[in-house]
Amino acid sequence: MVIGAIEAGGTKFVCGIGNERGEILTRISFPTQRPEVTMGKVIEFLRKTKVEAIGIGSFGPINLNRGSPHYGYITTTPKPGWSNYDILGVIKREFDVPCGWDTDVNAAVLGEVTWGAARGVDNCMYYTFGTGVGAGIYAEGKLVHGMMHPEAGHIMVRRHAADRYEGCCPYHGDCLEGMASGPAIENRWGVKCSELPPDHPAWAMQAYYIGQALCGSILMLSPNKIILGGGVMKQLQLFPLIHSEVQRTLNGYVGSEQVLSNITPYIVQPALGDDAGLCGALALGLSAMDVSE
Ligand code: ADP
Ligand code: ZN
């Protein structure tokens, strides 16, 4: 099968052509500009190959309600031109093939479930810690949408006792994204994330906030696997700090072996690495074919 995949990010777009084995055969990446320019490049790339389906994993918030006249739109975003933009409609008008459509993070969790670290798992979460914070949720074998879609990057967190940083979320100030996104770390410490040494106290504080979010997720969703991606998670020293933080915070209450004694393979990096989002879009395209058959 030949599937088109679009990872629509607020900073950059990545498009690929892949197959049902999760292999990306060709790809292109470009910065996100105004929609006419950006989507022109997407269409030009996809037109070069006869695709059988297309999957789109998009930055959001987005409309996933099939009954809505605005299904397939990016809804509210400060990105110029993208607010109330019918991204799925633009693709559908150009390509008469089944199209899958979901958030970038739901795409990523589906990619990891299909070909990555969460193969065979029914309940899984994928968090990204990058320019923003977001999470995709796969529960009982399905991507979770509900009323809109999860916005787990904006859950409230308890402030670290030593943290004087006010937080950078324009809506909530010190929510999870406000305290633990890449820009939050850089504002708090006045240093680029990639230049903070591995033993800098920034990372213990980061693990405190991430650990807290993961405890909430574990308590609420009981996932079998938690995958942490995004630019900030390139700091691999965070993983053992987060493992300890989760165990410390849960304090023995969740008695499963995955938390108590075998947490290293429970909270992991994406097995698909930086391709989790693009492979996820590929998986969305594939699942759109199943639905339409
Ligand atoms: P985006 O969220 O824009 O799609 P990323 O997931 O790459 O892209 O996130 C970018 C953020 O990740 C930046 O704010 C930066 O602070 C942080 N970041 C990027 N590379 C690293 C790194 N090597 N170590 C720590 N943080 C990083
Ligand atoms: Zn927020």
Side-chain angles (χ1 to χ4, degrees), residues 222-288:
S222 191
N224 293 109
K225 187 76 86 179
I226 300 178
I227 300 166
L228 305 178
V232 172
M233 297 310 303
K234 303 265 174 186
Q235 300 288 327
L236 298 183
Q237 75 280 9
L238 277 170
F239 281 89
L241 297 175
I242 292 166
H243 295 150
S244 305
E245 202 54 40
V246 167
Q247 289 173 326
R248 185 187 67 80
T249 309
L250 290 175
N251 197 24
Y253 182 73
V254 174
S256 77
E257 172 251 349
Q258 281 162 295
V259 171
L260 294 179
S261 56
N262 200 21
I263 198 164
T264 304
Y266 179 50
I267 299 170
V268 296
Q269 292 174 264
L272 302 171
D274 293 337
D275 282 349
L278 190 62
C279 288
L282 190 60
L284 286 173
L286 271 175
S287 45

Short mmCIF file of all heavy atoms in Angstrom, two decimals, residues 222-288:
data_model
loop_
_atom_site.label_atom_id
_atom_site.label_comp_id
_atom_site.label_asym_id
_atom_site.label_seq_id
_atom_site.Cartn_x
_atom_site.Cartn_y
_atom_site.Cartn_z
N SER A 222 -4.72 4.43 33.99
CA SER A 222 -4.11 3.13 34.17
C SER A 222 -3.43 2.62 32.90
O SER A 222 -3.65 1.48 32.47
CB SER A 222 -5.20 2.15 34.65
OG SER A 222 -4.64 0.97 35.08
N PRO A 223 -2.62 3.45 32.26
CA PRO A 223 -1.98 3.01 31.00
C PRO A 223 -1.00 1.87 31.23
O PRO A 223 -0.42 1.75 32.31
CB PRO A 223 -1.24 4.27 30.52
CG PRO A 223 -1.00 5.08 31.76
CD PRO A 223 -2.15 4.78 32.68
N ASN A 224 -0.83 1.04 30.19
CA ASN A 224 0.16 -0.04 30.25
C ASN A 224 1.53 0.42 29.79
O ASN A 224 2.52 -0.29 29.97
CB ASN A 224 -0.26 -1.20 29.36
CG ASN A 224 -1.51 -1.87 29.88
OD1 ASN A 224 -2.58 -1.75 29.29
ND2 ASN A 224 -1.39 -2.55 31.00
N LYS A 225 1.57 1.57 29.15
CA LYS A 225 2.85 2.11 28.67
C LYS A 225 2.72 3.62 28.58
O LYS A 225 1.67 4.13 28.18
CB LYS A 225 3.14 1.51 27.28
CG LYS A 225 4.46 1.81 26.69
CD LYS A 225 5.60 1.02 27.30
CE LYS A 225 5.83 -0.33 26.68
NZ LYS A 225 6.97 -1.04 27.30
N ILE A 226 3.78 4.33 28.96
CA ILE A 226 3.81 5.79 28.80
C ILE A 226 5.05 6.14 28.00
O ILE A 226 6.17 5.72 28.35
CB ILE A 226 3.82 6.52 30.16
CG1 ILE A 226 2.56 6.16 30.97
CG2 ILE A 226 3.90 8.03 29.95
CD1 ILE A 226 2.51 6.79 32.35
N ILE A 227 4.84 6.89 26.93
CA ILE A 227 5.95 7.24 26.03
C ILE A 227 6.15 8.74 26.10
O ILE A 227 5.18 9.51 26.01
CB ILE A 227 5.60 6.77 24.60
CG1 ILE A 227 5.40 5.25 24.60
CG2 ILE A 227 6.69 7.19 23.62
CD1 ILE A 227 4.75 4.70 23.38
N LEU A 228 7.40 9.15 26.26
CA LEU A 228 7.71 10.58 26.41
C LEU A 228 8.60 11.02 25.25
O LEU A 228 9.74 10.55 25.12
CB LEU A 228 8.43 10.85 27.74
CG LEU A 228 7.71 10.36 29.01
CD1 LEU A 228 8.56 10.66 30.24
CD2 LEU A 228 6.34 11.01 29.15
N GLY A 229 8.07 11.92 24.40
CA GLY A 229 8.84 12.43 23.27
C GLY A 229 8.91 13.94 23.30
O GLY A 229 8.56 14.58 24.29
N GLY A 230 9.39 14.51 22.19
CA GLY A 230 9.57 15.97 22.08
C GLY A 230 11.00 16.36 22.40
O GLY A 230 11.76 15.60 23.01
N GLY A 231 11.35 17.57 21.98
CA GLY A 231 12.73 18.05 22.08
C GLY A 231 13.32 17.98 23.48
O GLY A 231 14.47 17.59 23.66
N VAL A 232 12.53 18.32 24.49
CA VAL A 232 13.05 18.34 25.87
C VAL A 232 13.49 16.94 26.30
O VAL A 232 14.47 16.77 27.04
CB VAL A 232 11.98 18.91 26.83
CG1 VAL A 232 12.39 18.76 28.28
CG2 VAL A 232 11.68 20.37 26.50
N MET A 233 12.80 15.91 25.82
CA MET A 233 13.11 14.54 26.23
C MET A 233 14.37 13.99 25.56
O MET A 233 14.77 12.86 25.83
CB MET A 233 11.92 13.61 25.99
CG MET A 233 10.68 13.96 26.81
SD MET A 233 10.95 14.21 28.58
CE MET A 233 11.68 12.65 29.06
N LYS A 234 15.02 14.82 24.72
CA LYS A 234 16.35 14.44 24.22
C LYS A 234 17.34 14.37 25.38
O LYS A 234 18.43 13.81 25.26
CB LYS A 234 16.87 15.45 23.20
CG LYS A 234 15.97 15.66 22.03
CD LYS A 234 16.36 14.79 20.87
CE LYS A 234 15.33 14.95 19.81
NZ LYS A 234 15.31 14.22 18.69
N GLN A 235 16.97 14.99 26.49
CA GLN A 235 17.81 14.94 27.70
C GLN A 235 17.51 13.62 28.40
O GLN A 235 16.65 13.53 29.28
CB GLN A 235 17.48 16.14 28.61
CG GLN A 235 17.71 17.48 27.96
CD GLN A 235 19.19 17.80 27.79
OE1 GLN A 235 20.03 17.41 28.61
NE2 GLN A 235 19.53 18.52 26.72
N LEU A 236 18.25 12.60 28.01
CA LEU A 236 17.90 11.25 28.48
C LEU A 236 18.10 11.05 29.97
O LEU A 236 17.52 10.13 30.56
CB LEU A 236 18.70 10.20 27.69
CG LEU A 236 18.42 10.19 26.18
CD1 LEU A 236 19.21 9.08 25.50
CD2 LEU A 236 16.93 10.04 25.89
N GLN A 237 18.90 11.93 30.59
CA GLN A 237 19.05 11.83 32.05
C GLN A 237 17.74 12.06 32.77
O GLN A 237 17.59 11.75 33.95
CB GLN A 237 20.14 12.80 32.56
CG GLN A 237 19.76 14.27 32.62
CD GLN A 237 19.85 14.98 31.27
OE1 GLN A 237 20.04 14.34 30.24
NE2 GLN A 237 19.72 16.29 31.26
N LEU A 238 16.75 12.64 32.04
CA LEU A 238 15.43 12.86 32.66
C LEU A 238 14.72 11.54 33.00
O LEU A 238 13.96 11.48 33.97
CB LEU A 238 14.53 13.66 31.71
CG LEU A 238 14.69 15.18 31.73
CD1 LEU A 238 13.91 15.80 30.57
CD2 LEU A 238 14.21 15.76 33.06
N PHE A 239 14.97 10.50 32.20
CA PHE A 239 14.17 9.27 32.39
C PHE A 239 14.32 8.67 33.78
O PHE A 239 13.31 8.47 34.47
CB PHE A 239 14.44 8.27 31.26
CG PHE A 239 13.68 8.62 30.01
CD1 PHE A 239 14.23 9.45 29.05
CD2 PHE A 239 12.39 8.16 29.81
CE1 PHE A 239 13.52 9.81 27.91
CE2 PHE A 239 11.66 8.51 28.68
CZ PHE A 239 12.23 9.34 27.72
N PRO A 240 15.55 8.40 34.26
CA PRO A 240 15.64 7.85 35.63
C PRO A 240 15.12 8.81 36.69
O PRO A 240 14.53 8.37 37.70
CB PRO A 240 17.15 7.58 35.82
CG PRO A 240 17.84 8.21 34.66
CD PRO A 240 16.85 8.41 33.57
N LEU A 241 15.28 10.12 36.46
CA LEU A 241 14.75 11.09 37.43
C LEU A 241 13.22 11.00 37.47
O LEU A 241 12.60 11.05 38.54
CB LEU A 241 15.17 12.52 37.04
CG LEU A 241 16.67 12.84 37.05
CD1 LEU A 241 16.91 14.25 36.51
CD2 LEU A 241 17.25 12.71 38.45
N ILE A 242 12.61 10.86 36.31
CA ILE A 242 11.15 10.76 36.23
C ILE A 242 10.67 9.44 36.87
O ILE A 242 9.68 9.41 37.61
CB ILE A 242 10.67 10.88 34.76
CG1 ILE A 242 10.93 12.30 34.25
CG2 ILE A 242 9.19 10.51 34.62
CD1 ILE A 242 10.82 12.45 32.74
N HIS A 243 11.39 8.36 36.59
CA HIS A 243 11.02 7.07 37.19
C HIS A 243 10.98 7.19 38.71
O HIS A 243 10.02 6.78 39.36
CB HIS A 243 12.02 5.97 36.79
CG HIS A 243 12.00 5.68 35.31
ND1 HIS A 243 13.11 5.23 34.63
CD2 HIS A 243 11.02 5.79 34.39
CE1 HIS A 243 12.79 5.06 33.36
NE2 HIS A 243 11.54 5.39 33.18
N SER A 244 12.02 7.79 39.28
CA SER A 244 12.08 7.92 40.75
C SER A 244 10.97 8.84 41.25
O SER A 244 10.37 8.60 42.30
CB SER A 244 13.41 8.53 41.20
OG SER A 244 14.45 7.78 40.69
N GLU A 245 10.74 9.90 40.51
CA GLU A 245 9.73 10.89 40.91
C GLU A 245 8.33 10.25 40.93
O GLU A 245 7.54 10.49 41.84
CB GLU A 245 9.80 12.04 39.91
CG GLU A 245 9.26 13.35 40.37
CD GLU A 245 9.82 13.87 41.67
OE1 GLU A 245 11.04 13.75 41.92
OE2 GLU A 245 9.02 14.39 42.47
N VAL A 246 8.05 9.45 39.93
CA VAL A 246 6.73 8.78 39.87
C VAL A 246 6.60 7.82 41.05
O VAL A 246 5.57 7.80 41.74
CB VAL A 246 6.56 8.03 38.52
CG1 VAL A 246 5.38 7.08 38.55
CG2 VAL A 246 6.40 9.04 37.38
N GLN A 247 7.64 7.06 41.32
CA GLN A 247 7.58 6.11 42.45
C GLN A 247 7.44 6.86 43.77
O GLN A 247 6.65 6.48 44.64
CB GLN A 247 8.83 5.24 42.47
CG GLN A 247 8.83 4.24 41.33
CD GLN A 247 10.13 3.46 41.20
OE1 GLN A 247 11.22 4.00 41.48
NE2 GLN A 247 10.03 2.22 40.77
N ARG A 248 8.19 7.95 43.91
CA ARG A 248 8.14 8.73 45.15
C ARG A 248 6.73 9.30 45.36
O ARG A 248 6.16 9.23 46.43
CB ARG A 248 9.18 9.86 45.07
CG ARG A 248 9.33 10.68 46.34
CD ARG A 248 10.25 11.88 46.15
NE ARG A 248 9.69 12.89 45.26
CZ ARG A 248 8.78 13.78 45.60
NH1 ARG A 248 8.31 13.80 46.83
NH2 ARG A 248 8.30 14.65 44.72
N THR A 249 6.17 9.86 44.27
CA THR A 249 4.88 10.54 44.40
C THR A 249 3.75 9.54 44.64
O THR A 249 2.86 9.77 45.47
CB THR A 249 4.60 11.38 43.14
OG1 THR A 249 5.75 12.20 42.90
CG2 THR A 249 3.39 12.27 43.30
N LEU A 250 3.77 8.41 43.93
CA LEU A 250 2.69 7.43 44.13
C LEU A 250 2.84 6.73 45.49
O LEU A 250 1.87 6.25 46.07
CB LEU A 250 2.67 6.40 43.00
CG LEU A 250 2.20 6.95 41.65
CD1 LEU A 250 2.34 5.88 40.57
CD2 LEU A 250 0.76 7.45 41.70
N ASN A 251 4.07 6.66 45.98
CA ASN A 251 4.33 6.22 47.35
C ASN A 251 3.73 4.84 47.67
O ASN A 251 3.15 4.63 48.73
CB ASN A 251 3.79 7.29 48.32
CG ASN A 251 4.36 7.15 49.71
OD1 ASN A 251 5.45 6.58 49.89
ND2 ASN A 251 3.66 7.65 50.70
N GLY A 252 3.85 3.94 46.69
CA GLY A 252 3.41 2.56 46.94
C GLY A 252 1.92 2.33 46.74
O GLY A 252 1.43 1.21 46.84
N TYR A 253 1.18 3.39 46.44
CA TYR A 253 -0.29 3.24 46.36
C TYR A 253 -0.71 2.39 45.16
O TYR A 253 -1.62 1.58 45.28
CB TYR A 253 -0.94 4.63 46.29
CG TYR A 253 -2.44 4.54 46.25
CD1 TYR A 253 -3.15 4.18 47.40
CD2 TYR A 253 -3.15 4.76 45.08
CE1 TYR A 253 -4.53 4.06 47.37
CE2 TYR A 253 -4.53 4.64 45.04
CZ TYR A 253 -5.22 4.29 46.18
OH TYR A 253 -6.58 4.16 46.15
N VAL A 254 -0.05 2.61 44.01
CA VAL A 254 -0.35 1.77 42.84
C VAL A 254 0.57 0.57 42.93
O VAL A 254 1.79 0.69 42.77
CB VAL A 254 -0.14 2.56 41.52
CG1 VAL A 254 -0.30 1.65 40.31
CG2 VAL A 254 -1.13 3.72 41.44
N GLY A 255 -0.02 -0.59 43.22
CA GLY A 255 0.80 -1.75 43.58
C GLY A 255 1.24 -2.61 42.41
O GLY A 255 1.63 -3.75 42.60
N SER A 256 1.21 -2.07 41.18
CA SER A 256 1.58 -2.93 40.06
C SER A 256 3.10 -2.98 39.93
O SER A 256 3.81 -2.00 40.21
CB SER A 256 0.95 -2.43 38.77
OG SER A 256 1.65 -1.32 38.32
N GLU A 257 3.55 -4.11 39.45
CA GLU A 257 4.99 -4.37 39.31
C GLU A 257 5.63 -3.35 38.36
O GLU A 257 6.76 -2.93 38.54
CB GLU A 257 5.11 -5.82 38.84
CG GLU A 257 6.43 -6.33 38.44
CD GLU A 257 6.50 -6.56 36.93
OE1 GLU A 257 5.46 -6.51 36.23
OE2 GLU A 257 7.62 -6.75 36.47
N GLN A 258 4.84 -2.89 37.33
CA GLN A 258 5.38 -1.91 36.37
C GLN A 258 5.78 -0.60 37.05
O GLN A 258 6.65 0.10 36.58
CB GLN A 258 4.34 -1.60 35.29
CG GLN A 258 4.25 -2.66 34.22
CD GLN A 258 2.94 -2.52 33.47
OE1 GLN A 258 1.88 -2.71 34.04
NE2 GLN A 258 3.01 -2.18 32.20
N VAL A 259 5.10 -0.27 38.13
CA VAL A 259 5.44 0.96 38.84
C VAL A 259 6.45 0.66 39.95
O VAL A 259 7.45 1.36 40.11
CB VAL A 259 4.17 1.63 39.44
CG1 VAL A 259 4.56 2.78 40.37
CG2 VAL A 259 3.26 2.14 38.32
N LEU A 260 6.21 -0.40 40.69
CA LEU A 260 7.01 -0.65 41.89
C LEU A 260 8.43 -1.11 41.59
O LEU A 260 9.39 -0.63 42.20
CB LEU A 260 6.32 -1.69 42.78
CG LEU A 260 4.98 -1.28 43.40
CD1 LEU A 260 4.42 -2.43 44.22
CD2 LEU A 260 5.13 -0.03 44.26
N SER A 261 8.57 -2.04 40.62
CA SER A 261 9.89 -2.64 40.48
C SER A 261 10.40 -2.69 39.05
O SER A 261 11.58 -2.97 38.83
CB SER A 261 9.87 -4.06 41.05
OG SER A 261 8.86 -4.79 40.39
N ASN A 262 9.55 -2.40 38.08
CA ASN A 262 10.00 -2.54 36.69
C ASN A 262 9.58 -1.33 35.87
O ASN A 262 8.98 -1.45 34.81
CB ASN A 262 9.40 -3.84 36.11
CG ASN A 262 10.17 -4.32 34.90
OD1 ASN A 262 11.33 -3.96 34.71
ND2 ASN A 262 9.52 -5.11 34.06
N ILE A 263 9.94 -0.17 36.38
CA ILE A 263 9.42 1.07 35.80
C ILE A 263 10.21 1.51 34.55
O ILE A 263 9.69 2.24 33.71
CB ILE A 263 9.36 2.20 36.88
CG1 ILE A 263 8.44 3.34 36.43
CG2 ILE A 263 10.75 2.69 37.25
CD1 ILE A 263 8.02 4.29 37.53
N THR A 264 11.44 0.99 34.40
CA THR A 264 12.27 1.43 33.26
C THR A 264 11.60 1.13 31.91
O THR A 264 11.53 2.01 31.07
CB THR A 264 13.68 0.81 33.34
OG1 THR A 264 14.22 1.18 34.62
CG2 THR A 264 14.60 1.32 32.25
N PRO A 265 11.05 -0.08 31.70
CA PRO A 265 10.36 -0.30 30.42
C PRO A 265 8.91 0.20 30.40
O PRO A 265 8.21 0.03 29.40
CB PRO A 265 10.38 -1.83 30.26
CG PRO A 265 10.54 -2.36 31.63
CD PRO A 265 11.21 -1.32 32.47
N TYR A 266 8.47 0.82 31.48
CA TYR A 266 7.09 1.32 31.55
C TYR A 266 7.00 2.77 31.03
O TYR A 266 6.09 3.12 30.30
CB TYR A 266 6.62 1.23 33.01
CG TYR A 266 5.21 1.73 33.25
CD1 TYR A 266 4.15 1.30 32.46
CD2 TYR A 266 4.94 2.63 34.29
CE1 TYR A 266 2.85 1.76 32.69
CE2 TYR A 266 3.66 3.09 34.53
CZ TYR A 266 2.62 2.65 33.72
OH TYR A 266 1.34 3.12 33.96
N ILE A 267 7.97 3.58 31.39
CA ILE A 267 7.99 4.99 30.96
C ILE A 267 9.22 5.15 30.08
O ILE A 267 10.35 5.11 30.57
CB ILE A 267 8.04 5.93 32.18
CG1 ILE A 267 6.79 5.72 33.04
CG2 ILE A 267 8.17 7.38 31.74
CD1 ILE A 267 6.82 6.43 34.40
N VAL A 268 8.99 5.27 28.77
CA VAL A 268 10.08 5.09 27.81
C VAL A 268 10.11 6.19 26.73
O VAL A 268 9.15 6.93 26.56
CB VAL A 268 9.95 3.72 27.09
CG1 VAL A 268 10.11 2.57 28.07
CG2 VAL A 268 8.63 3.61 26.34
N GLN A 269 11.19 6.20 25.99
CA GLN A 269 11.31 7.05 24.80
C GLN A 269 10.46 6.45 23.68
O GLN A 269 10.20 5.25 23.69
CB GLN A 269 12.75 7.00 24.28
CG GLN A 269 13.80 7.62 25.11
CD GLN A 269 15.15 7.33 24.46
OE1 GLN A 269 15.83 6.38 24.84
NE2 GLN A 269 15.52 8.12 23.48
N PRO A 270 10.12 7.25 22.68
CA PRO A 270 9.43 6.69 21.51
C PRO A 270 10.37 5.73 20.77
O PRO A 270 11.51 6.09 20.49
CB PRO A 270 9.13 7.90 20.62
CG PRO A 270 9.47 9.12 21.42
CD PRO A 270 10.36 8.71 22.54
N ALA A 271 9.91 4.52 20.46
CA ALA A 271 10.76 3.60 19.70
C ALA A 271 10.92 4.11 18.27
O ALA A 271 11.90 3.80 17.60
CB ALA A 271 10.15 2.21 19.69
N LEU A 272 9.96 4.90 17.81
CA LEU A 272 10.05 5.44 16.44
C LEU A 272 10.85 6.74 16.42
O LEU A 272 10.99 7.36 15.37
CB LEU A 272 8.64 5.67 15.87
CG LEU A 272 7.75 4.43 15.83
CD1 LEU A 272 6.32 4.80 15.46
CD2 LEU A 272 8.30 3.41 14.82
N GLY A 273 11.33 7.16 17.57
CA GLY A 273 12.16 8.36 17.66
C GLY A 273 11.42 9.57 17.13
O GLY A 273 10.23 9.76 17.38
N ASP A 274 12.13 10.38 16.34
CA ASP A 274 11.52 11.60 15.80
C ASP A 274 10.47 11.28 14.74
O ASP A 274 9.78 12.19 14.27
CB ASP A 274 12.61 12.50 15.19
CG ASP A 274 13.53 13.05 16.28
OD1 ASP A 274 13.10 13.11 17.45
OD2 ASP A 274 14.67 13.42 15.95
N ASP A 275 10.34 10.02 14.34
CA ASP A 275 9.34 9.65 13.33
C ASP A 275 8.00 9.25 13.93
O ASP A 275 7.10 8.85 13.19
CB ASP A 275 9.86 8.50 12.46
CG ASP A 275 10.84 8.99 11.42
OD1 ASP A 275 10.94 10.22 11.24
OD2 ASP A 275 11.50 8.14 10.78
N ALA A 276 7.86 9.34 15.25
CA ALA A 276 6.59 8.89 15.86
C ALA A 276 5.40 9.63 15.24
O ALA A 276 4.39 9.01 14.89
CB ALA A 276 6.62 9.10 17.38
N GLY A 277 5.53 10.94 15.07
CA GLY A 277 4.41 11.73 14.53
C GLY A 277 4.11 11.38 13.08
O GLY A 277 2.95 11.21 12.69
N LEU A 278 5.16 11.27 12.27
CA LEU A 278 4.95 10.98 10.85
C LEU A 278 4.43 9.55 10.66
O LEU A 278 3.49 9.32 9.89
CB LEU A 278 6.27 11.19 10.08
CG LEU A 278 6.13 11.17 8.57
CD1 LEU A 278 5.22 12.28 8.07
CD2 LEU A 278 7.50 11.29 7.90
N CYS A 279 5.01 8.60 11.37
CA CYS A 279 4.50 7.21 11.29
C CYS A 279 3.08 7.16 11.81
O CYS A 279 2.26 6.38 11.32
CB CYS A 279 5.38 6.27 12.11
SG CYS A 279 6.98 5.97 11.35
N GLY A 280 2.78 7.99 12.80
CA GLY A 280 1.43 8.05 13.33
C GLY A 280 0.45 8.53 12.27
O GLY A 280 -0.65 7.99 12.12
N ALA A 281 0.85 9.55 11.50
CA ALA A 281 0.00 10.04 10.41
C ALA A 281 -0.21 8.91 9.38
O ALA A 281 -1.31 8.73 8.85
CB ALA A 281 0.62 11.27 9.78
N LEU A 282 0.83 8.16 9.16
CA LEU A 282 0.75 7.00 8.26
C LEU A 282 -0.29 5.99 8.80
O LEU A 282 -1.15 5.50 8.06
CB LEU A 282 2.14 6.37 8.21
CG LEU A 282 2.47 5.29 7.21
CD1 LEU A 282 2.28 5.81 5.81
CD2 LEU A 282 3.93 4.86 7.41
N ALA A 283 -0.21 5.74 10.08
CA ALA A 283 -1.17 4.81 10.71
C ALA A 283 -2.60 5.36 10.63
O ALA A 283 -3.55 4.59 10.44
CB ALA A 283 -0.78 4.56 12.17
N LEU A 284 -2.74 6.67 10.74
CA LEU A 284 -4.09 7.27 10.59
C LEU A 284 -4.62 7.06 9.18
O LEU A 284 -5.79 6.77 8.98
CB LEU A 284 -4.04 8.78 10.88
CG LEU A 284 -3.88 9.22 12.34
CD1 LEU A 284 -3.69 10.73 12.40
CD2 LEU A 284 -5.10 8.81 13.17
N GLY A 285 -3.73 7.20 8.19
CA GLY A 285 -4.12 6.96 6.80
C GLY A 285 -4.57 5.52 6.61
O GLY A 285 -5.60 5.24 6.01
N LEU A 286 -3.79 4.59 7.16
CA LEU A 286 -4.14 3.17 7.06
C LEU A 286 -5.47 2.88 7.72
O LEU A 286 -6.30 2.16 7.17
CB LEU A 286 -3.07 2.33 7.78
CG LEU A 286 -1.86 1.88 7.00
CD1 LEU A 286 -0.91 1.18 7.94
CD2 LEU A 286 -2.27 0.94 5.87
N SER A 287 -5.71 3.45 8.90
CA SER A 287 -6.97 3.15 9.58
C SER A 287 -8.14 3.78 8.84
O SER A 287 -9.24 3.25 8.88
CB SER A 287 -6.95 3.50 11.06
OG SER A 287 -6.41 4.75 11.27
N ALA A 288 -7.91 4.88 8.12
CA ALA A 288 -8.99 5.47 7.31
C ALA A 288 -9.39 4.51 6.19
O ALA A 288 -10.56 4.42 5.81
CB ALA A 288 -8.55 6.80 6.73
#
